[in-house]
Amino acid sequence: MPIVHGVNASPFVRKVRVVLAEKGIEYELNPVMPLGDNPEYRRKSPLGKIPCFEDGDYVLPDSSCIAAYLERTQPEPALYPADAKEHGRALWYEEYADTKLAEVCGTVFFQRVVSAKILKTGCDEATVENAVKELQPPVFDYLEGEVEEGSEGIVGGRFGIADISLASPVVNLQHAGFDIDAARWPKLSAYVERVLARPSYKTIVEEERASFSAL
Ligand SMILES: N[C@@H](CCC(=O)N[C@@H](CS)C(=O)NCC(=O)O)C(=O)O
């Protein structure tokens, strides 16, 4: 059975797990923590980051690489658009989610959950406030303008890799006790809610909530 190395609090691990769930691929989760210095893991994931995927003698780090690989090995259900322009847009939203959105949601998650509850080194509330008031709004404004009301997917109205990628960092925001304000960003908030209501997401997020509520 394939192995996903990484812990489920990571938006990138979650993204890969949702891709696997959507494609109905069974796997084992090996809870490798980020920022470790295990030389054996470094050989598999040279940047030392999670997730890393392993299937027999095939090893592949990086959530985007893993998702693209899985699309080739198990094409159904398709998670990438067939149309070239839509495919390009899907990759763009994936990139935006993995960089900018993950950063503005991750800052809050790091302070409120990782630092305060796991490392027990306290929460820098000024950093949290800056993220919520200054860093997140322009990102949410941009996405609010990109999402079509009531659509299942941000690209062509069809669910796929862009939606999986965009919803994942928002789960970290929710774990930290925040969310996208539905009054200010109604289309984006409802869209993320629809994505997170899918069975693939629901199962994984419920499992995560149970582990976080124990902290
Ligand atoms: N582009 C990578 C990003 C992965 C990533 O940044 N993972 C974080 C955990 S959420 C990590 O392992 N950080 C440890 C480090 O940067 O050394 C992906 O999509 O998989």
Side-chain angles (χ1 to χ4, degrees), residues 7-18:
V7 283
N8 60 11
S10 157
F12 309 104
V13 172
R14 185 179 304 116
K15 176 182 152 192
V16 166
R17 295 185 74 199
V18 171

Side-chain angles (χ1 to χ4, degrees), residues 44-60:
K44 292 177 181 164
S45 180
L47 295 175
K49 298 189 181 197
I50 56 170
C52 182
F53 181 80
E54 187 168 7
D55 191 5
D57 59 4
Y58 186 70
V59 177
L60 188 64

Side-chain angles (χ1 to χ4, degrees), residues 1 5 19 30 33 36-39 41 45 50 59 79 84-85 95 104 129 170 185 203 213:
M1 188 184 292
H5 301 281
V19 168
N30 176 32
M33 293 290 282
D37 206 15
N38 179 329
Y41 185 66
S45 180
I50 56 170
V59 177
L79 295 176
K85 287 183 175 161
E95 173 64 12
V104 302
E129 193 179 326
V170 179
W185 298 286
T203 312
S213 65

Side-chain angles (χ1 to χ4, degrees), residues 143-166:
L143 293 171
E144 177 76 6
E146 297 294 292
V147 172
E148 293 271 344
E149 192 153 4
S151 97
E152 290 302 317
I154 196 165
V155 180
R158 284 178 305 277
F159 174 80
I161 190 65
D163 312 301
I164 295 173
S165 306
L166 288 166

Side-chain angles (χ1 to χ4, degrees), residues 20-189:
L20 286 158
E22 288 286 342
K23 288 185 175 289
I25 302 170
E26 290 194 11
Y27 63 94
E28 184 190 316
L29 186 67
N30 176 32
V32 172
M33 293 290 282
L35 301 168
D37 206 15
N38 179 329
E40 195 192 330
Y41 185 66
R42 283 253 163 194
R43 275 194 292 278
K44 292 177 181 164
S45 180
L47 295 175
K49 298 189 181 197
I50 56 170
C52 182
F53 181 80
E54 187 168 7
D55 191 5
D57 59 4
Y58 186 70
V59 177
L60 188 64
D62 194 280
S63 66
S64 302
C65 301
I66 299 165
Y69 165 76
L70 293 170
E71 184 77 357
R72 292 288 184 99
T73 56
Q74 174 111 4
E76 295 296 329
L79 295 176
Y80 292 73
D83 176 79
K85 287 183 175 161
E86 287 190 351
H87 186 259
R89 293 302 296 170
L91 297 186
W92 157 245
Y93 290 123
E94 180 181 26
E95 173 64 12
Y96 189 76
D98 287 358
T99 54
K100 199 71 191 166
L101 184 62
E103 181 194 320
V104 302
C105 295
T107 301
V108 169
F109 177 78
F110 183 84
Q111 290 300 330
R112 282 277 171 96
V113 180
V114 179
S115 184
K117 294 187 177 169
I118 300 173
L119 303 175
K120 302 205 188 298
T121 46
C123 172
D124 180 346
E125 286 299 338
T127 298
V128 171
E129 193 179 326
N130 183 56
V132 171
K133 293 199 174 147
E134 305 295 332
L135 306 181
Q136 289 170 6
V139 175
F140 296 166
D141 284 346
Y142 167 62
L143 293 171
E144 177 76 6
E146 297 294 292
V147 172
E148 293 271 344
E149 192 153 4
S151 97
E152 290 302 317
I154 196 165
V155 180
R158 284 178 305 277
F159 174 80
I161 190 65
D163 312 301
I164 295 173
S165 306
L166 288 166
S168 193
V170 179
V171 176
N172 286 77
L173 196 63
Q174 294 176 347
H175 285 326
F178 293 89
D179 211 337
I180 296 167
D181 181 353
R184 187 163 174 193
W185 298 286
K187 284 190 291 169
L188 179 62
S189 159

